């Protein structure tokens, strides 16, 4: 009898807690989706080889010219170029890499904050 | 020959004080890249060529004003009286354009200088006279190819070569006050074709940069005259004073450089006879400052001090060189 009451208590607790947890997860997920929708669509390219602003100016010039880039920020300290995109604009990894290489530099990583036909990309440094 | 022996031999030719200074500078330059600091990007010194290119469809332009003089005779390194009391002043304003990159790592360049040369002198049994000439000097057309590039975050290591031709378009017929044609060093143009070639090395790590060049210039003949070929060597250390860390590419930057630029020239040859008063070993040491207010614009200044003047025979001494200039980036297309 004691065992039965323990099992029933556990079942009751599960019945109450599970929907609450599920609901909480849904809320979190919805918040996350809302946050993702609120954020501008952007691509981050990690670029290797950039030194001073004068040397890296070519990267900025070439990325800015891509049709669909609303805003561009190049941070030398992290090597990251952040492309904020217009509407549904997107670029293939090949195009982004070609653009950076033509400026005289090298791509190590491409990441998007939105669903894309192109997968995120990361090149392991030589020797790893 | 071991490298230490070569350095010993090189330093052995210099007077004691210059030897000490050069030993310290060379030691510093060799050790600085090993410093445990985060080394990037100080890759554009005033005189030493960089192995960093502008990139495909990107261009750059550069100009600077250079002032320098020569006066006071030297005979085998010691000062001797100059009976003509010659005092030469030179102003050069080169305009360099990198109009087109054939590939991201292969660029072209054209350099056309405006040159003004003047000399005050006292001819034998005469009064003080002045001479001057000016115009467009010889035009350099060359190309740079970077064949090795190892990139990392906030740094790069690159090897390249640069070579071209200097076309003798500068005038060579300016006359002295007496009516005689002025000697070649006093003319705006050289009168002969020359073919400079350089090997380039550039290393940048965060706030530090190290660059080195080794070059050779072959000079063709003009009539019976052949200028001696020139071996050149350059080394530069760069350090970014500000900012300590970059936030964006638009951050203003202040760089400081220390450069060592040397040339060893062979004697000139006239009608098959070697001119004993020509050629020699010349080394300049220069601190440079560079200011980048916006990514497409750069201002720079350099003062070159002659630290070695091991000139053959009797020649006028080289003075300190003062230079200020600017560089601009642009899209070719």
């Amino acid at each position: 009898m004691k065992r039965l009451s323990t099992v029933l208590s556990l079942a009751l607790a599960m019945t109450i807690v599970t929907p609450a947890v599920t609901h909480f997860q849904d809320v979190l997920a919805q918040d996350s989706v809302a946050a993702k929708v609120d954020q501008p669509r952007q691509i981050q390219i990690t670029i290797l080889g950039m030194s001073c602003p004068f040397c890296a100016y070519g990267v900025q010039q070439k990325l800015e010219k891509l049709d669909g880039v609303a805003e561009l920020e190049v941070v030398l300290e992290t090597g990251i170029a952040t492309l904020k995109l217009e509407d549904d604009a997107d670029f293939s990894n090949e195009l982004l890499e070609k653009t950076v290489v033509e400026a005289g530099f090298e791509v190590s990583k491409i990441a998007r904050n939105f669903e894309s036909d192109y997968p995120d990309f990361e090149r392991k440094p030589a020797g790893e | 020959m071991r490298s230490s022996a070569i350095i010993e031999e090189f330093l052995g030719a210099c007077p004691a004080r210059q030897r000490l200074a050069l030993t310290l500078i060379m030691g510093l330059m060799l050790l600085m890249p090993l410093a445990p600091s985060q080394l990037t990007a100080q890759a554009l010194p005033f005189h030493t060529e960089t192995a960093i290119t502008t990139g495909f469809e990107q261009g750059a332009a550069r100009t600077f004003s250079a002032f320098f003089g020569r006066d006071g005779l030297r005979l085998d390194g010691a000062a001797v009286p100059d009976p003509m009391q010659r005092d030469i002043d030179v102003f050069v304003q080169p305009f360099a354009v990198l109009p087109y990159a054939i590939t991201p790592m292969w660029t072209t360049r054209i350099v056309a200088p405006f040159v003004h040369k003047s000399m005050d002198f006292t001819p034998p049994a005469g009064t003080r006279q002045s001479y001057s000439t000016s115009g467009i000097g010889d035009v350099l057309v060359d190309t740079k190819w970077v064949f090795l590039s190892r990139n990392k975050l906030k740094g790069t290591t690159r090897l390249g070569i640069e070579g071209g031709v200097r076309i003798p378009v500068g005038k060579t017929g300016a006359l002295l006050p007496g009516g005689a044609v002025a000697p070649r060093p006093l003319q705006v143009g050289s009168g002969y074709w020359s073919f400079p070639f350089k090997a380039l090395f550039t290393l940048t790590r965060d706030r530090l940069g190290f660059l080195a060049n080794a070059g050779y210039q072959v000079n063709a003949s003009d009539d019976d005259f052949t200028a001696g070929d020139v071996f050149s060597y350059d080394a530069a250390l760069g350090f970014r004073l500000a900012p300590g860390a970059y936030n964006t590419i638009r951050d203003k930057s202040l760089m400081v450089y220390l450069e060592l630029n040397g040339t060893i020239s062979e004697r000139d040859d006239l009608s098959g006879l070697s001119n004993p008063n020509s050629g020699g070993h010349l080394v300049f040491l220069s601190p440079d400052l560079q200011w980048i207010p916006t990514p497409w614009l750069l201002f720079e200044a350099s003062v070159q001090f002659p630290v070695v003047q091991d000139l053959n025979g009797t020649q006028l001494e080289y003075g300190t060189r003062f230079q200020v200039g600017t560089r601009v980036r642009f899209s070719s297309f």
Side-chain angles (χ1 to χ4, degrees):
Chain A
M1 187 63 186
K2 195 177 174 183
R3 188 179 292 171
L4 181 64
S5 66
T6 305
V7 170
L8 284 172
S9 301
L10 276 173
L12 183 66
M14 293 277 286
T15 310
I16 295 167
V17 169
T18 304
V21 170
T22 308
H23 173 71
F24 188 62
Q25 283 176 336
D26 286 348
V27 169
L28 280 177
Q30 281 167 11
D31 284 351
S32 168
V33 168
K36 212 164 189 176
V37 168
D38 287 346
Q39 273 184 3
R41 291 154 50 87
Q42 64 182 40
I43 302 175
Q44 287 197 320
I45 311 170
T46 305
I47 300 170
L48 303 181
M50 289 195 295
S51 300
C52 66
F54 198 78
C55 309
Y57 182 65
V59 173
Q60 177 173 303
Q61 283 282 291
K62 294 187 82 68
L63 289 173
E64 265 176 354
K65 279 186 178 173
L66 293 175
D67 194 20
V69 174
E71 207 178 305
L72 173 71
E73 186 74 82
V74 180
V75 179
L76 294 176
E77 199 62 25
T78 57
I80 293 176
T82 304
L83 289 74
K84 291 181 180 167
L85 306 178
E86 290 171 353
D87 302 328
D88 296 329
D90 197 0
F91 307 107
S92 69
N93 293 343
E94 287 72 24
L95 175 65
L96 293 172
E97 187 165 16
K98 178 174 175 278
T99 306
V100 171
V101 168
E102 282 187 351
F105 301 98
E106 197 176 321
V107 170
S108 79
K109 191 176 174 182
I110 299 174
R112 295 170 177 78
N113 72 341
F114 59 92
E115 293 294 327
S116 168
D117 294 338
Y118 309 107
D120 286 353
F121 159 88
E122 184 164 8
R123 176 177 290 120
K124 297 276 183 234
E128 278 194 9
Chain B
M1 188 185 285
R2 284 169 47 219
S3 57
S4 58
I6 294 170
I7 292 169
E8 249 338 281
E9 187 175 291
F10 167 71
L11 292 173
C14 306
R17 217 166 54 177
Q18 289 174 357
R19 190 166 57 205
L20 176 65
L22 278 175
T23 306
L24 285 172
I25 293 159
M26 288 167 78
L28 192 68
M29 287 184 153
L30 288 171
L31 288 174
M32 284 295 271
L34 305 177
S37 62
Q38 283 203 326
L39 300 176
T40 298
Q42 312 344 313
L44 300 167
F46 208 109
H47 312 283
T48 306
E49 292 287 342
T50 182
I52 289 181
T53 52
T54 50
F56 188 53
E57 295 175 344
Q58 295 287 310
R62 181 187 190 195
T63 186
F64 60 86
S65 306
F67 307 87
F68 54 94
R70 293 185 72 175
D71 63 351
L73 271 187
R74 272 180 171 241
L75 171 61
D76 295 329
V80 293
D82 178 7
M84 296 178 72
Q85 296 170 24
R86 287 166 291 181
D87 183 357
I88 298 173
D89 288 313
V90 179
F91 169 75
V92 184
Q93 182 83 37
F95 295 93
V97 184
L98 285 73
Y100 185 70
I102 298 158
T103 74
M105 294 294 174
W106 186 10
T107 58
T108 54
R109 180 174 66 165
I110 301 167
V111 185
F114 171 80
V115 180
H116 176 84
K117 292 184 177 179
S118 63
M119 178 177 73
D120 292 332
F121 65 103
T122 307
T127 54
R128 195 91 177 133
Q129 295 188 2
S130 293
Y131 157 88
S132 73
T133 182
S134 55
I136 300 297
D138 297 347
V139 170
L140 173 72
V141 179
D142 70 1
T143 182
K144 174 161 67 181
W145 176 50
V146 176
F147 58 85
L148 187 141
S149 173
R150 293 281 178 271
N151 298 308
K152 59 196 298 181
L153 190 62
K154 295 193 286 183
T156 189
T157 306
R158 299 187 184 200
L159 279 173
I161 50 172
E162 184 177 72
V165 57
R166 189 170 282 109
I167 306 163
V169 296
K171 65 181 181 182
T172 55
L175 303 176
L176 290 168
V181 175
R184 285 176 186 271
L186 293 175
Q187 299 288 351
V188 163
S190 66
Y192 52 84
W193 293 72
S194 55
F195 306 90
F197 170 87
K198 269 187 180 179
L200 318 172
F201 171 76
T202 296
L203 179 144
T204 66
R205 295 285 186 276
D206 197 11
R207 300 179 74 175
L208 200 66
F210 175 72
L211 299 91
N213 303 163
Y216 196 81
Q217 177 174 306
V218 177
N219 295 319
S221 300
D222 176 37
D223 295 332
D224 290 343
F225 175 81
T226 308
D229 290 352
V230 182
F231 168 74
S232 65
Y233 57 93
D234 310 278
L237 267 179
F239 180 71
R240 190 180 72 226
L241 292 174
Y246 280 114
N247 287 316
T248 79
I249 196 172
R250 293 183 298 280
D251 286 351
K252 297 170 175 59
S253 307
L254 181 65
M255 326 284 194
V256 63
Y257 293 91
L258 182 65
E259 292 188 71
L260 190 75
N261 306 100
T263 54
I264 300 170
S265 308
E266 291 177 358
R267 288 182 173 84
D268 301 337
D269 194 283
L270 184 61
S271 304
L273 294 172
S274 174
N275 178 359
N277 302 320
S278 62
H281 186 194
L282 192 58
V283 183
F284 286 93
L285 178 70
S286 62
D288 316 337
L289 261 184
Q290 202 170 69
W291 170 241
I292 305 179
T294 182
W296 55 269
L297 183 63
L298 182 157
F299 297 106
E300 55 193 342
S302 169
V303 181
Q304 283 188 297
F305 301 100
V307 289
V308 175
Q309 298 200 52
D310 186 14
L311 306 171
N312 299 327
T314 307
Q315 296 187 49
L316 287 174
E317 193 173 348
Y318 286 83
T320 303
R321 297 175 169 180
F322 301 91
Q323 285 134 133
V324 289
T326 184
R327 305 186 205 199
V328 181
R329 290 287 306 260
F330 58 84
S331 294
S332 301
F333 300 94

